[in-house]
């Protein structure tokens, strides 16, 4: 694996050699004296924020201290160098030097400095999104600090620990740590940080989706601020409460909270308090289409950002004032908006000049909107493309809890679009099939790559694993670089212009590192970890004869469906309101996957549910299938790629008077059309079957579900209870692997997407295996995954794609828990068909048709749960 060496490390290495040669001949005392003099100079430069000038002096000091073997002084040199390079955006080198400092402090036995470096490493790993590493270092530092009653180090380490727990989705752990921090804050800092800690606690409690306990924290916080008699604390509390109310979509309650905060503002307060209140009020007004109020709130907030020199917020608020004025003028006049268009162009240029990429992105999008309204589609597409390129560089860039993020989000809500759909509308309306297909796939892959960029992927190829790790590491560095530029531009009056310039210079270099790594991946997993083009002509080259691929673009006033065949492609528009089709899809999914229809403890009214399911099935068929049915003549297989809005809609269950779609044509789901570009694998006869099962936290009888396989394959190996371990799975050989286990999907924190299996201990315990780690399992010819979680939809898109990219050509999954009797009948037909010599796909189709026509099994919610992903 070729991993690029940091330019700074290389220069430093050469400097060390040169200085070593020049340093020969000096006495030990002279070298120590020179090192001490350099230390004073370095400290002075750091105090003056002349960080770049301090770097060569530290390299000189390292050479001198190495020669006289002063381990503690060397540790200090490396620690300072790591901190400076982290500040300058050279994160690889910073990690390397901080780890070296840790080694030297361990040698010297200096516990205080050892903790200091661990805290520095924890903070850097937290910023880079390496939450497990951040937790490990912060927990270690906190434990050591407690043993020596060092409350200040304990506080610093615990604060990082709390933040890392929040980012990792461990909210209960975070809450415990925050309570401990409050105690230390009272003892050491005279409760000066308690308001901030309450803000974090309210966020943690709110993330646990317990409204009563969240409100309890809020009341506790308000009571604390009442005891302190500081209006600023009350304002913070009501703003945070308003943010929480917004997060659970209680808009009226959010408005009341922010209005209360507004009433508490007084002349002479720090301008940031005005901004923190006025910006949310503006976003609420914008969401409610009250654009005059929105413009007023944003304009007022803009004046306060200028007082505190918050450059990023100032520029973004100017964009939002322009957007509000444009919306308002569009309602009351037919003006051509030339002045507003000029403002957009100027703002985009200014944002680009100062390095505020998010501001440039939204300004370009607004500019495109105005150009589109003025009937300049080519110019609009050019502006949309510039916005889209900026968006695609930000897989993990902006802080999800910042006011800046809120503004971008509410702007897009107001446009009822996203970065892809707006240009897609133009391309689809113009029948530009290839450009539209490219945009749809870019949208699919952006969502996929964003998900998989946040999980650790482990395959059987250790060198490839290292390569993927390096790509993810460099991408995290790119994200942190952008966030730190944003932090400097957002700082209230404290921007370091020199640092902004240094960070901006590093950005294209870091982007090139990521792009280079992405281009050189030679594995099907490339499609889940890197943004690549999926040209329509490449898809048509590999598309089998007598097959068709369909993709959907959901727009405000209709659905554009692209139908692709080997030698042709077409766009078909279906006129239906976006809200209407999404409502139908959501109701259908909610009803068909409802556990109460599958023998749950509380029964659903079947007499009402079944007719409604059938009605919805026919309605959705009429909208999604019937208009494109003429294009299916002569087609023997249908590939379907769904947009994120459709989710796990069971298209194969949609019915016409002649029966369900799958009775007419086999349906194969693809998370992305790029699956057709995966390495082709010839179909083989499958004879070696393994059943693998663990109930997880459910009460599902996995042995009952799997043991029926032996009725058709007497030699099928069964792994249950404490034998259902990852180690056992790694050493077992199979053609078909049938797993019955609990899998949970977490799109917010992808690393928490896990399968529950046995830990191999007695009494039986369980272990959670992250999705990325499952890629180490030898890929079977076919994977059948019966997800026994009670939450439907967990096996949509991401998990099947991981298994396909890992080498399994066919992945069959259940999208909701289903019924035991139905699963038994599916297994009977499926495995009997395999035994007779049919290939996997043929056996699946036989089983699905048998179920759909099988009398008691023919109810949609019973047989529809099986989906086939793959070619």
């Amino acid at each position: 694996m070729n991993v690029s060496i940091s330019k700074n490390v290389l220069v430093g290495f050469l400097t060390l050699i040169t200085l070593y040669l020049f340093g020969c001949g000096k006495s030990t005392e002279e070298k120590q004296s020179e090192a001490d003099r350099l230390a004073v100079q370095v400290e002075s430069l750091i105090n003056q924020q002349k960080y770049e000038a301090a770097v060569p002096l530290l390299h000189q000091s390292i050479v001198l201290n190495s020669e006289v073997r002063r381990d503690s002084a060397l540790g200090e040199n490396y620690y300072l160098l790591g901190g400076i390079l982290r500040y300058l955006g050279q994160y690889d080198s910073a990690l390397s030097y901080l780890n070296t400092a840790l080694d030297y402090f361990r040698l010297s036995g200096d516990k205080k400095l050892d903790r200091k470096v661990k805290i520095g490493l924890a903070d850097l790993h937290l910023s880079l999104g390496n939450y497990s590493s951040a937790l490990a270092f912060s927990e270690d530092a906190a434990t050591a600090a407690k043993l020596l009653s060092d409350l200040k180090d304990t506080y610093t380490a615990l604060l990082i620990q709390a933040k890392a727990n929040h980012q990792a989705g461990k909210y209960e752990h975070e809450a415990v740590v925050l309570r401990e921090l409050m105690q230390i804050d009272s003892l050491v800092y005279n409760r000066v940080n308690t308001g901030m800690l309450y803000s974090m606690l309210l966020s943690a409690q709110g993330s646990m989706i317990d409204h009563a306990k969240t409100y309890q924290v809020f009341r506790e916080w308000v009571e604390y601020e009442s005891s302190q008699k500081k209006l600023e604390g009350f304002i913070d509390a009501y703003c945070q409460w308003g943010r929480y109310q917004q997060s659970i979509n209680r808009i009226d309650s959010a408005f009341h909270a922010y209005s209360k905060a507004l009433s508490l503002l007084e002349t002479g307060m720090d301008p940031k308090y005005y901004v923190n209140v006025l910006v949310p009020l503006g976003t609420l007004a914008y969401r409610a289409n009250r654009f005059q109020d929105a413009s007023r709130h944003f304009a007022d907030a803009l004046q306060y950002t200028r007082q505190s020199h918050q450059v990023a917020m100032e520029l973004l608020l100017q964009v939002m004032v322009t957007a509000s004025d444009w919306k308002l003028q569009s309602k009351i006049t037919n003006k051509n908006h030339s002045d507003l268009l000029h403002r957009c162009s100027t703002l985009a240029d200014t944002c680009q000049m100062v390095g505020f990429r998010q501001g440039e992105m939204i300004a370009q999008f607004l500019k495109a909107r105005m150009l589109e309204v003025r009937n300049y589609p080519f110019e609009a597409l050019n502006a949309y493309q510039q916005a889209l390129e900026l968006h695609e560089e930000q897989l993990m860039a902006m802080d999800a809890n910042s006011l800046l993020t809120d503004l971008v989000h509410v702007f897009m809500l107001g446009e009822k679009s996203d970065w892809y759909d707006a240009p897609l509308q133009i391309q689809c309306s113009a029948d530009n099939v290839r450009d539209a297909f490219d945009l749809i796939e870019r949208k699919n892959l952006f969502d996929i790559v964003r998900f998989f960029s946040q999980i650790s992927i482990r395959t059987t190829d250790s060198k490839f694993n290292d390569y993927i790790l390096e790509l993810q590491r460099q991408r995290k560095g790119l994200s942190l670089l952008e966030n730190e530029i944003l932090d400097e531009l957002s700082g209230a009056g404290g921007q370091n212009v020199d640092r902004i310039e240094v960070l901006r210079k590093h950005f294209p270099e870091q982007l090139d590192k990521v792009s280079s790594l992405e281009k050189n991946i030679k594995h099907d997993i490339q499609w889940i970890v890197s943004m690549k083009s999926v040209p329509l002509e490449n898809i048509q080259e590999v598309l089998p004869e007598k097959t068709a691929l369909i993709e959907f673009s959901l727009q405000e006033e209709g659905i554009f469906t692209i139908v692709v065949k080997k030698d042709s492609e077409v766009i078909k528009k279906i006129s239906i309101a976006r809200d209407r089709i999404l409502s139908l899809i959501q109701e259908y999914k909610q009803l068909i996957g409802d556990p109460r229809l599958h023998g749950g403890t509380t029964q659903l009214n079947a007499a009402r549910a079944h007719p409604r399911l059938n009605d919805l099935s026919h309605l959705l068929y009429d909208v999604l299938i019937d208009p494109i049915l003429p294009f299916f003549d002569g087609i023997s297989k249908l590939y379907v790629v769904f947009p994120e809005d459709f989710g796990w809609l069971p298209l194969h269950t949609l019915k016409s008077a002649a029966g369900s779609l799958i009775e007419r044509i086999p349906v194969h789901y693809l998370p992305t059309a790029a699956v057709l570009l995966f390495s082709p694998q010839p179909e083989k006869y499958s004879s070696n079957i393994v059943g693998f099962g663990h109930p997880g936290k459910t009460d599902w009888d996995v042995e009952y579900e799997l043991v029926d396989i032996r009725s058709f394959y007497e030699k099928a190996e069964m792994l249950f209870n404490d034998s259902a371990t990852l180690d056992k799975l790694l050493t077992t050989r199979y053609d078909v692997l049938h797993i019955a286990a609990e899998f949970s999907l977490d799109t917010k924190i992808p690393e928490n997407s896990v399968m529950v299996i046995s830990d191999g201990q007695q009494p039986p315990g369980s272990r959670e295996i992250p999705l990325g780690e499952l890629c180490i399992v030898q890929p079977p010819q076919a994977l059948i995954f019966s997800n026994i979680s009670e939450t439907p939809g967990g096996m949509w898109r991401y998990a099947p794609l991981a298994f396909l990219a890992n080498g399994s050509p066919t992945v069959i999954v259940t999208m909701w828990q289903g019924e035991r009797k139905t699963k038994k009948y599916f297994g009977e037909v499926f495995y009997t068909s395999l035994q007779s010599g049919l290939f996997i796909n043929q056996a699946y189709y036989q089983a699905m048709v048998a179920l759909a026509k099988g009398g008691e099994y023919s109810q949609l919610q019973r047989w529809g749960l099986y989906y086939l992903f793959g070619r």
Side-chain angles (χ1 to χ4, degrees):
M1 179 186 68
N2 295 321
V3 179
S4 59
I5 300 174
S6 166
K7 180 180 177 182
N8 185 79
V9 172
L10 182 59
V11 171
F13 179 68
L14 295 173
T15 303
L16 290 177
I17 294 175
T18 304
L19 292 172
Y20 177 78
L21 293 173
F22 278 103
C24 292
K26 291 184 178 181
S27 68
T28 299
E29 290 76 13
E30 287 174 324
K31 292 174 182 177
Q32 289 180 348
S33 177
E34 178 67 9
D36 290 340
R37 184 184 66 79
L38 288 170
V40 173
Q41 285 185 267
V42 167
E43 184 179 359
S44 175
L45 288 170
I46 290 174
N47 290 335
Q48 298 173 61
Q49 294 190 335
K50 296 180 178 179
Y51 298 106
E52 286 187 288
V55 172
L57 300 186
L58 277 168
H59 282 305
Q60 294 178 44
S61 186
I62 286 171
V63 171
L64 295 168
N65 283 317
S66 296
E67 292 175 356
V68 298
R69 301 179 182 278
R70 293 203 296 183
D71 289 344
S72 183
L74 266 173
E76 282 281 9
N77 291 156
Y78 282 114
Y79 174 73
L80 286 173
L81 189 54
I84 288 172
L85 294 178
R86 184 247 191 276
Y87 185 80
L88 296 175
Q90 299 181 44
Y91 309 119
D92 289 348
S93 301
L95 280 172
S96 176
Y97 286 129
L98 286 173
N99 280 311
T100 303
L102 189 60
D103 291 338
Y104 275 106
F105 287 143
R106 283 170 177 163
L107 287 173
S108 69
D110 192 322
K111 302 297 184 183
K112 175 72 175 177
L113 294 177
D114 179 88
R115 290 198 305 277
K116 183 167 70 171
V117 179
K118 286 178 180 175
I119 289 170
L121 280 165
D123 183 63
L124 181 49
H125 278 296
L126 174 65
S127 299
L128 286 167
N130 303 325
Y131 305 126
S132 59
S133 296
L135 282 170
F137 279 115
S138 60
E139 287 171 358
D140 197 3
T143 300
K146 288 176 185 178
L147 288 173
L148 296 174
S149 300
D150 187 336
L151 290 180
K152 289 187 176 181
D153 273 3
T154 302
Y155 180 89
T156 305
L158 286 177
L159 187 59
I160 296 171
Q161 190 176 325
K163 293 177 180 178
N165 273 315
H166 187 86
Q167 296 299 328
K170 299 177 179 179
Y171 305 118
E172 292 182 0
H173 294 292
E174 178 192 9
V176 171
V177 173
L178 287 169
R179 290 295 185 183
E180 187 175 356
L181 280 165
M182 286 182 181
Q183 294 177 4
I184 299 174
D185 186 50
S186 177
L187 292 170
V188 179
Y189 299 108
N190 197 29
R191 305 192 77 175
V192 69
N193 302 309
T194 298
M196 175 197 71
L197 297 174
Y198 267 121
S199 177
M200 294 174 67
L201 184 60
L202 194 149
S203 179
Q205 194 64 61
S207 299
M208 290 184 237
I209 316 177
D210 187 330
H211 182 71
K213 289 185 178 179
T214 307
Y215 180 71
Q216 182 180 336
V217 171
F218 170 66
R219 293 311 311 168
E220 188 180 327
W221 185 4
V222 169
E223 289 173 11
Y224 163 74
E225 297 298 350
S226 178
S227 69
Q228 300 299 301
K229 295 182 172 58
K230 289 185 178 179
L231 286 178
E232 290 85 351
F234 280 109
I235 293 169
D236 286 339
Y238 279 100
C239 283
Q240 186 65 17
W241 182 243
R243 175 178 286 276
Y244 164 70
Q245 295 291 343
Q246 277 183 276
S247 72
I248 58 175
N249 209 31
R250 294 183 174 180
I251 304 303
D252 288 343
S253 297
F255 176 76
H256 289 307
Y258 288 121
S259 297
K260 175 65 175 178
L262 182 66
S263 71
L264 296 171
L265 291 171
E266 289 186 347
T267 304
M269 280 185 175
D270 189 323
K272 74 175 184 180
Y273 291 103
Y274 287 86
V275 174
N276 290 345
V277 175
L278 291 168
V279 169
L281 284 171
T283 62
L284 289 174
Y286 199 93
R287 286 184 60 166
N289 295 328
R290 293 186 286 105
F291 300 114
Q292 188 167 7
D293 290 339
S295 180
R296 176 169 51 83
H297 288 311
F298 290 144
D300 289 345
L302 182 58
Q303 300 306 313
Y304 289 103
T305 60
R306 286 170 175 159
Q307 291 179 27
S308 53
H309 308 291
Q310 298 178 51
V311 176
M313 181 60 77
E314 178 182 344
L315 288 169
L316 196 49
L317 282 172
Q318 287 186 59
V319 176
M320 292 307 296
V321 169
T322 304
S324 301
D325 292 346
W326 177 58
K327 292 281 191 182
L328 192 60
Q329 287 187 18
S330 298
K331 278 188 169 185
I332 62 177
T333 181
N334 292 320
K335 286 179 62 177
N336 62 15
H337 315 299
S338 296
D339 57 329
L340 298 178
L341 185 58
H342 177 72
R343 279 160 62 180
C344 273
S345 296
T346 302
L347 282 167
D349 292 342
T350 304
C351 289
Q352 183 183 50
M353 182 178 65
V354 302
F356 181 30
R357 300 168 66 81
Q358 293 84 358
E360 182 187 357
M361 178 177 71
I362 195 172
Q364 287 287 5
F365 193 96
L366 181 56
K367 174 182 172 181
R369 274 293 202 230
M370 293 181 185
L371 287 166
E372 188 178 356
V373 168
R374 296 180 68 183
N375 200 26
Y376 293 113
F378 178 80
E379 291 82 355
L381 280 172
N382 184 52
Y384 280 135
Q385 180 64 25
Q386 292 182 62
L388 189 52
E389 288 174 359
L390 289 164
H391 167 71
E392 289 181 338
E393 291 170 2
Q394 301 177 55
L395 279 171
M396 302 170 286
M398 291 183 74
D399 179 4
N401 294 314
S402 73
L403 286 178
L404 291 170
T405 306
D406 291 346
L407 285 172
V408 174
H409 176 67
V410 79
F411 171 79
M412 297 309 291
L413 283 178
E415 297 309 305
K416 298 181 180 179
S417 180
D418 66 18
W419 307 102
Y420 297 90
D421 285 345
L424 254 172
Q425 171 75 49
I426 297 176
Q427 300 288 15
C428 288
S429 297
D431 285 334
N432 295 330
V433 183
R434 294 180 182 276
D435 291 329
F437 183 87
D438 175 69
L439 281 168
I440 289 173
E441 275 302 318
R442 281 173 68 180
K443 182 176 182 179
N444 286 338
L445 286 172
F446 181 82
D447 174 65
I448 287 164
V449 174
R450 179 173 52 185
F451 180 89
F452 283 101
S453 291
Q454 299 176 66
I455 70 174
S456 301
I457 296 175
R458 183 182 172 205
T459 71
T460 55
D461 186 338
S462 59
K463 289 186 177 179
F464 180 69
N465 294 344
D466 291 340
Y467 197 96
I468 295 298
L469 185 63
E470 177 66 8
L471 170 60
Q472 292 178 330
R473 194 161 61 88
Q474 295 300 339
R475 187 177 278 132
K476 287 175 179 177
L478 181 68
S479 176
L480 178 55
L481 195 57
E482 185 152 19
N483 270 326
E484 298 212 317
I485 293 171
L486 189 59
D487 285 345
E488 284 292 342
L489 292 171
S490 301
Q495 295 94 350
N496 185 322
V497 177
D498 292 336
R499 186 189 184 211
I500 292 174
E501 191 59 31
V502 169
L503 295 176
R504 285 183 61 199
K505 285 180 180 178
H506 281 311
F507 192 86
E509 298 172 6
Q510 189 68 24
L511 189 59
D512 285 344
K513 286 182 185 179
V514 172
S515 299
S516 177
L517 287 165
E518 287 182 333
K519 289 175 183 176
N520 291 315
I521 301 176
K522 307 300 180 186
H523 192 290
D524 288 341
I525 284 179
Q526 65 180 296
W527 297 104
I528 68 175
V529 295
S530 62
M531 288 293 296
K532 293 180 180 290
S533 175
V534 188
L536 181 57
E537 53 267 27
N538 290 7
I539 296 299
Q540 288 178 309
E541 284 177 12
V542 299
L543 197 64
E545 296 287 350
K546 296 184 178 180
T547 66
L549 166 71
I550 58 174
E551 300 223 19
F552 300 89
S553 173
L554 182 59
Q555 300 294 331
E556 188 61 27
E557 296 179 357
I559 300 169
F560 290 95
T561 305
I562 296 180
V563 183
V564 179
K565 296 182 182 179
K566 186 79 174 175
D567 56 359
S568 63
E569 63 282 338
V570 68
I571 291 181
K572 177 72 175 178
K573 182 181 178 182
I574 300 103
S575 295
I576 184 172
R578 177 189 179 92
D579 291 345
R580 171 64 175 159
I581 185 64
L582 287 180
S583 175
L584 292 172
I585 289 173
Q586 181 60 29
E587 184 183 359
Y588 190 59
K589 291 193 301 183
Q590 188 173 355
L591 193 55
I592 202 169
D594 195 316
R596 294 175 296 174
L597 272 183
H598 309 291
T601 54
T602 304
Q603 294 298 311
L604 194 64
N605 188 334
R608 295 177 59 187
H610 293 153
R612 182 55 181 164
L613 260 180
N614 282 310
D615 288 345
L616 288 167
S617 177
H618 283 282
L619 282 169
L620 289 169
Y621 185 97
D622 291 343
V623 173
L624 299 176
I625 303 299
D626 191 64
I628 57 175
L629 206 55
F631 301 110
F632 293 165
D633 286 344
I635 294 302
S636 59
K637 185 187 295 183
L638 182 64
Y639 295 110
V640 180
V641 181
F642 273 153
E644 185 178 3
D645 297 308
F646 283 17
W648 50 273
L649 170 67
L651 193 80
H652 58 286
T653 65
L654 303 188
K655 297 170 66 175
S656 67
S660 61
L661 178 61
I662 202 167
E663 294 175 65
R664 178 187 182 106
I665 182 171
V667 177
H668 289 221
Y669 293 97
L670 304 178
T672 162
V675 172
L676 295 171
L677 302 175
F678 286 8
S679 304
Q681 303 205 21
E683 289 187 297
K684 300 177 182 177
Y685 173 69
S686 301
S687 59
N688 186 14
I689 314 295
V690 170
F692 182 93
H694 190 275
K697 298 182 288 293
T698 73
D699 61 357
W700 194 265
D701 190 337
V702 295
E703 186 171 352
Y704 176 95
E705 178 176 340
L706 295 176
V707 79
D708 287 320
I709 297 172
R710 282 198 171 136
S711 302
F712 321 108
Y713 282 91
E714 187 177 343
K715 294 181 180 179
E717 185 176 358
M718 295 288 119
L719 303 174
F720 304 122
N721 301 322
D722 59 349
S723 65
T725 66
L726 182 61
D727 289 341
K728 187 67 176 176
L729 201 54
L730 294 177
T731 57
T732 302
R733 294 293 171 260
Y734 38 72
D735 297 324
V736 176
L737 176 62
H738 191 134
I739 297 175
E742 181 184 13
F743 179 85
S744 59
L745 176 69
D746 189 336
T747 55
K748 183 179 179 182
I749 305 174
E751 191 70 8
N752 291 343
S753 299
V754 296
M755 179 176 79
V756 183
I757 63 175
S758 172
D759 61 3
Q761 303 295 315
Q762 286 290 346
S766 62
R767 175 189 174 191
E768 292 183 343
I769 304 296
L771 176 59
E773 192 172 338
L774 290 175
C775 291
I776 199 174
V777 174
Q778 190 67 30
Q781 178 74 12
L783 173 69
I784 294 88
F785 198 116
S786 176
N787 185 10
I788 59 177
S789 168
E790 291 188 1
T791 303
M795 296 303 290
W796 176 71
R797 181 173 275 188
Y798 307 104
L801 182 55
F803 299 130
L804 291 168
N806 192 43
S808 291
T810 302
V811 178
I812 299 168
V813 301
T814 62
M815 206 58 71
W816 54 92
Q817 197 177 70
E819 296 175 318
R820 288 181 172 88
K821 193 174 181 181
T822 302
K823 289 185 174 183
K824 181 178 180 180
Y825 187 56
F826 173 87
E828 178 182 340
V829 180
F830 178 77
Y831 286 109
T832 299
S833 299
L834 281 185
Q835 181 73 21
S836 71
L838 293 184
F839 292 135
I840 296 290
N841 294 349
Q842 295 170 321
Y844 167 82
Y845 183 61
Q846 293 270 45
M848 293 298 283
V849 172
L851 283 167
K853 294 181 175 179
E856 63 176 313
Y857 302 107
S858 62
Q859 292 175 349
L860 295 173
Q861 80 280 2
R862 301 192 75 175
W863 65 269
L865 75 163
Y866 284 99
Y867 293 55
L868 187 148
F869 286 85
R871 298 177 65 173

